Amino acid sequence: MRSDADVVIARQRGREIASLLGFSASDLALIATAISELARNIVLYAGSGEIEIGHVEQMERRGIEIVARDQGPGIRNIPQAMRDGFSTSGGLGLGLPGVKRLMDEFEIESRPGRGTTVTVRRWTR
Amino acid sequence: MDVPVLKQGPFLIATIQAALNDADLNKLRRSLVEQVGRHRSRGVIVDVTSLDVLDSFAARTLRDIAHMTGFRGAETVIVGIHPDLAFAMVQLGLTLEGVATALDLEEGLAYLNERTRRLGATRPLPSTRAGAGRPASVAPRPGWPLAVTRPPFVLPREEPRERRRAKPAPEGADPETRRDLP
């Protein structure tokens, strides 16, 4: 991920993979939107990073896992970043909490100065 | 990727045809705000039927377009938000506050027609404003700029002009510039 063009590529790839995994059309929109937000965060805050999209299986259920990783400045205050309406870039201020609502599972790991990794999963219904 | 913008009478119709990146969206915004002036448009329709993702940046850009064209005297209506996108937008927490939306192009045109009906097809030229409601201090007088007494071009359509003239002006208001802002 380096530019806003990559944001479009990432969400298109994610949509293709999710479609192969059997997600509904409505889920595809949710997943593509979540990838778009995560990818944009990388481009916006870290400059560059990577998005890994894969499938996960856990006891009878199948899902998609998206890992967004960067070596950017990191997030100093995660609880604050997870609050609706908080943003440091003059954006809409609903990046991360919004992504959390779009997906079933959400994990975030960040160290100031070292980077951020966000992992999200959504299961097929 | 450029978004084709079609001029349809007093309206502009921008049909988003593929996945747009942020730069494309910014370009569309700049282009629409500029074209509203060039074509003296009364309304703008942005058709997003083909869009498969409407994320926070796209939503913000659509809102910007609506507000910016609003400052230029043209109303924007967003049409064709797919049900799946509407669902995703609500989950994400996005709003299009203060922006008109319609189900599809047809509804969007009907909405704009209704909103701009009494204003006529094009914006009034400076010369057509002289008269009723204008304070005496700025009434046309000898030496007034040429454009006031001799318009550089004529209104393409006569009919709406008559309709405007027939309407009595309310006290103190310039009937040609009065508009209902949302």
Side-chain angles (χ1 to χ4, degrees):
Chain A
M1 306 289 323
R2 290 190 179 282
S3 71
D4 57 341
D6 295 333
V7 175
V8 176
I9 294 168
R11 72 182 181 221
Q12 283 172 343
R13 281 293 156 70
R15 175 181 278 271
E16 284 163 23
I17 293 167
S19 168
L20 291 175
L21 291 172
F23 280 98
S24 69
S26 166
D27 280 349
L28 295 186
L30 297 178
I31 292 164
T33 307
I35 295 173
S36 201
E37 296 295 315
L38 290 174
R40 179 165 292 103
N41 276 351
I42 291 178
V43 174
L44 216 61
Y45 292 105
S48 68
E50 55 188 34
I51 297 243
E52 228 178 87
I53 303 165
H55 83 278
V56 278
E57 275 177 46
Q58 196 183 75
M59 304 180 292
E60 305 296 294
R61 55 181 191 171
R62 271 149 51 93
I64 190 169
E65 183 180 80
I66 298 134
V67 183
R69 198 179 293 118
D70 69 63
Q71 273 81 50
I75 300 169
R76 213 165 279 282
N77 188 339
I78 291 179
Q80 191 181 38
M82 290 308 298
R83 245 185 10 233
D84 262 319
F86 178 80
S87 170
T88 52
S89 73
L92 282 172
L94 37 76
L96 290 178
V99 170
K100 190 176 178 182
R101 280 194 296 271
L102 289 174
M103 306 298 279
D104 292 322
E105 286 170 30
F106 181 100
E107 287 153 29
I108 182 165
E109 227 184 286
S110 186
R111 271 192 282 169
R114 303 288 289 277
T116 303
T117 301
V118 178
T119 306
V120 294
R121 278 172 224 105
R122 192 171 171 93
W123 306 102
T124 54
R125 303 289 118 111
Chain B
M1 164 132 355
D2 276 329
V3 175
V5 178
L6 185 80
K7 186 177 173 295
Q8 172 77 39
F11 307 135
L12 295 175
I13 301 173
T15 309
I16 295 181
Q17 301 204 318
L20 295 184
N21 62 34
D22 299 358
D24 297 331
L25 281 165
N26 282 335
K27 207 155 105 189
L28 173 67
R29 182 184 61 188
R30 204 166 45 240
S31 158
L32 283 176
V33 173
E34 185 265 326
Q35 288 195 54
V36 159
R38 177 146 40 99
H39 299 300
R40 312 188 76 78
S41 304
R42 284 294 188 195
V44 176
I45 292 178
V46 182
D47 187 350
V48 299
T49 308
S50 309
L51 220 53
D52 61 351
V53 168
L54 222 163
D55 63 3
S56 58
F57 188 85
R60 184 173 58 182
T61 308
L62 291 178
R63 233 168 24 183
D64 286 354
I65 288 172
H67 294 163
M68 286 178 182
T69 57
F71 284 136
R72 307 264 284 148
E75 182 159 4
T76 289
V77 54
I78 311 295
V79 306
I81 295 180
H82 194 276
D84 294 336
L85 292 197
F87 185 63
M89 288 171 76
V90 167
Q91 293 284 94
L92 190 57
L94 295 178
T95 62
L96 283 175
E97 231 165 287
V99 180
T101 54
L103 186 64
D104 53 22
L105 190 58
E106 194 183 341
E107 295 279 329
L109 276 171
Y111 172 84
L112 285 183
N113 272 320
E114 178 57 34
R115 295 278 292 182
T116 58
R117 193 165 36 92
R118 30 175 218 96
L119 295 161
T122 53
R123 289 153 191 274
L125 295 169
S127 64
T128 66
R129 289 189 187 165
R134 184 177 283 273
S137 61
V138 291
R141 57 179 190 269
W144 193 259
L146 188 65
V148 173
T149 48
R150 255 182 54 196
F153 50 91
V154 289
L155 285 171
R157 283 173 58 178
E158 285 303 314
E159 188 265 330
R161 206 170 157 193
E162 292 306 315
R163 212 191 298 153
R164 273 207 304 276
R165 230 183 256 145
K167 248 188 178 156
E171 253 324 280
D174 184 344
E176 315 298 350
T177 54
R178 211 159 43 84
R179 294 202 50 193
D180 293 328
L181 290 171

